[in-house]
Amino acid sequence: MSKILIIHGGGPTAVMNCSLYGAIERAKSSGEFDEILGARFGISGAMNRDFYALHEIGDDKLKKLIYTPGTAIGTSRDPMEKEDYEKLATVLSEEKIEFVIFNGGNGTMDTAGKFHRSAKKYGIKVMGIPKTMDNDLSVIDHAPGYASAAKYIAESTKELVADVKSLPIHVVVMEALGRNAGWVTAASALAEDGDNCAPDMILLPEIAFDEELFLRRVEESWNKKRGMVVVCSEGLKYENGDPIVKPIFQTGRSVYFGDTSSHLAELIVSRLNIKARAEKPGILGRASVYNRSQVDIDEAIEVGRLAVQGILDGKDALMPGIFRKNKKDYQVEYRYIALDEVMLTEKKMPEEFIDRESLYITDEFIRWARPLVGDTRSDYCML
């Protein structure tokens, strides 16, 4: 009896269920697995032998995964100690599970790689599925989940800029998700689609926050145009690495940042005597399925399928990754890479994507990101 188990880790995305669909669909169609299981709420479900029987889901219901936010089987951020990997391997061996697929970001791939070392002696093979809205998985061009989060922040910025232009009486600071990498925050620049709806300033965690420079730029812009929009990352830090707002909660790698946008708005009010307010979409930016990128949907399904295909082909300790073929036309290829290459290796925005002087991003980033997101709404009447 051949059993395959799917485990989700880390924060959900708008297309995590698409990868789940791709994996289940390929596993079912192969006819090679007697049972296709899903760990209920991630590692803890696997440890407790709490599984969904995914092979029992009918095709009509299975297809609904493509349109469902979050993750249908649940996920977790359970910290793993050295002894936990051995325990998990023992449990899954006792359950006669031969294949395990981990779907997640660099933390989850770290878990997958370490689990593989404990599971080898039991003959359990491991594969990864890339997932992160933060786009901080190394080696690959981008990860499923990012394009949809980028589209959400771009569309939200566009709407916000149109609103502020209508009543230019304040500075609005909008906060985007992103601990150490500014990929999502940078995507706010994609709001500009020929209708002058770009934000005025983009603050990335890759750029040390300079309070005086920030306030000077706000004042200069305010004196010219009054109403303005600033988009900032939740993970803004000072030169010494300290976050500009003390985190309100932290456990392991999981950090719940304070209200960075509120802090910046309060600075503007107190130091410049300019009316300001903060907006924080928060996890709405990763949960929305109504603003998703079609590229993201298609690629998420494909990496799910390829993870199972890798198992069918006898591969082990690998992850299917997305790579661009060229810079001109958006074409990608999928290649398997070793889990060891992506274990807790964080990818930040490269220098060629950052305009440090203007507190903005470069045209090169726009060219890179636009194919992933597609065009934003272009039927606004901006006079």
Side-chain angles (χ1 to χ4, degrees):
M1 180 179 286
S2 180
K3 294 183 182 181
I4 183 171
L5 173 66
I6 301 170
I7 301 176
H8 283 180
T13 75
V15 296
M16 198 170 189
N17 276 327
C18 295
S19 293
L20 180 61
Y21 166 81
I24 298 171
E25 186 272 334
R26 182 66 192 97
K28 289 180 71 174
S29 67
S30 73
E32 294 295 323
F33 304 100
D34 297 295
E35 293 185 37
I36 305 165
L37 306 175
R40 194 186 301 264
F41 294 107
I43 291 291
S44 61
M47 287 284 203
N48 295 322
R49 307 172 199 254
D50 189 2
F51 306 125
Y52 287 101
L54 301 177
H55 52 280
E56 295 178 357
I57 301 176
D59 289 345
D60 288 344
K61 187 172 184 178
L62 184 64
K63 287 178 182 176
K64 291 182 179 180
L65 283 173
I66 298 173
Y67 311 102
T68 305
T71 157
I73 62 175
T75 183
S76 70
R77 295 190 187 276
D78 299 320
M80 295 280 285
E81 302 298 334
K82 185 176 181 180
E83 61 271 19
D84 294 325
Y85 293 103
E86 180 62 33
K87 179 182 176 182
L88 180 59
T90 301
V91 167
L92 299 189
S93 176
E94 290 173 353
E95 291 293 318
K96 297 185 174 10
I97 291 170
E98 301 173 54
F99 310 101
V100 181
I101 294 177
F102 288 85
N103 185 347
N106 46 41
T108 302
M109 293 306 112
D110 181 67
T111 298
K114 289 175 179 175
F115 170 74
H116 173 256
R117 295 166 191 167
S118 295
K120 281 191 295 185
K121 62 177 173 286
Y122 296 101
I124 299 173
K125 293 191 174 181
V126 178
M127 290 290 290
I129 296 176
K131 176 277 316 175
T132 171
M133 62 157 289
D134 294 325
N135 198 43
D136 57 357
L137 259 171
S138 64
V139 183
I140 60 178
D141 181 79
H142 60 277
Y146 170 68
S148 293
K151 186 173 180 64
Y152 181 93
I153 204 71
E155 295 284 10
S156 297
T157 302
K158 196 180 195 74
E159 292 168 346
L160 181 58
V161 170
D163 184 282
V164 171
K165 283 182 178 233
S166 305
L167 186 62
I169 61 171
H170 51 203
V171 178
V172 179
V173 183
M174 182 166 69
E175 181 177 332
L177 294 175
R179 291 187 301 254
N180 302 311
W183 296 96
V184 176
T185 308
S188 63
L190 297 172
E192 176 53 53
D193 203 11
D195 47 18
N196 197 26
C197 280
D200 298 278
M201 196 183 304
I202 299 174
L203 304 179
L204 305 171
E206 286 86 353
I207 303 176
F209 180 69
D210 184 329
E211 186 173 302
E212 297 305 319
L213 174 62
F214 166 70
L215 291 170
R216 186 165 66 249
R217 291 291 172 79
V218 168
E219 188 171 37
E220 290 170 356
S221 183
W222 176 260
N223 289 336
K224 291 178 182 177
K225 58 183 290 190
R226 289 301 187 253
M228 62 180 293
V229 172
V230 176
V231 182
C232 72
S233 164
E234 63 177 348
L236 288 186
K237 301 175 182 64
Y238 292 115
E239 186 70 44
N240 65 2
D242 291 341
I244 70 168
V245 181
K246 185 178 179 180
I248 59 175
F249 181 75
Q250 184 168 0
T251 174
R253 294 181 61 248
S254 299
V255 180
Y256 290 76
F257 288 94
D259 284 335
T260 301
S261 53
S262 293
H263 175 76
L264 295 179
E266 289 171 8
L267 269 179
I268 293 167
V269 173
S270 62
R271 294 283 304 278
L272 302 178
N273 199 29
I274 294 172
K275 184 178 180 181
R277 63 179 295 152
E279 301 291 342
K280 187 175 181 177
I283 63 173
L284 292 173
R286 75 183 190 203
S288 175
V289 293
Y290 294 102
N291 238 344
R292 290 189 302 178
S293 155
Q294 188 60 49
V295 168
D296 207 17
I297 294 169
D298 295 341
E299 292 179 348
I301 293 172
E302 186 62 17
V303 292
R305 287 175 175 154
L306 287 171
V308 174
Q309 187 59 51
I311 285 173
L312 294 170
D313 293 340
K315 300 182 187 300
D316 191 17
L318 301 176
M319 180 192 82
I322 304 170
F323 298 85
R324 297 200 194 204
K325 289 185 176 180
N326 56 62
K327 289 187 176 181
K328 287 188 177 181
D329 301 318
Y330 184 72
Q331 297 179 12
V332 299
E333 60 183 357
Y334 300 89
R335 300 197 303 267
Y336 293 98
I337 56 178
L339 292 177
D340 287 346
E341 295 186 53
V342 292
M343 293 169 63
L344 278 183
T345 305
E346 195 170 48
K347 180 180 71 175
K348 297 184 180 182
M349 292 267 292
E351 282 299 315
E352 59 266 27
F353 286 175
I354 301 173
D355 187 340
R356 292 179 177 270
E357 178 65 26
S358 301
L359 297 181
Y360 211 73
I361 52 83
T362 64
D363 290 341
E364 190 164 353
F365 170 80
I366 296 291
R367 288 190 291 270
W368 176 86
R370 180 65 72 186
L372 302 178
V373 171
D375 293 334
T376 52
R377 288 183 63 94
S378 57
D379 52 0
Y380 288 5
C381 178
M382 303 298 291
L383 302 180

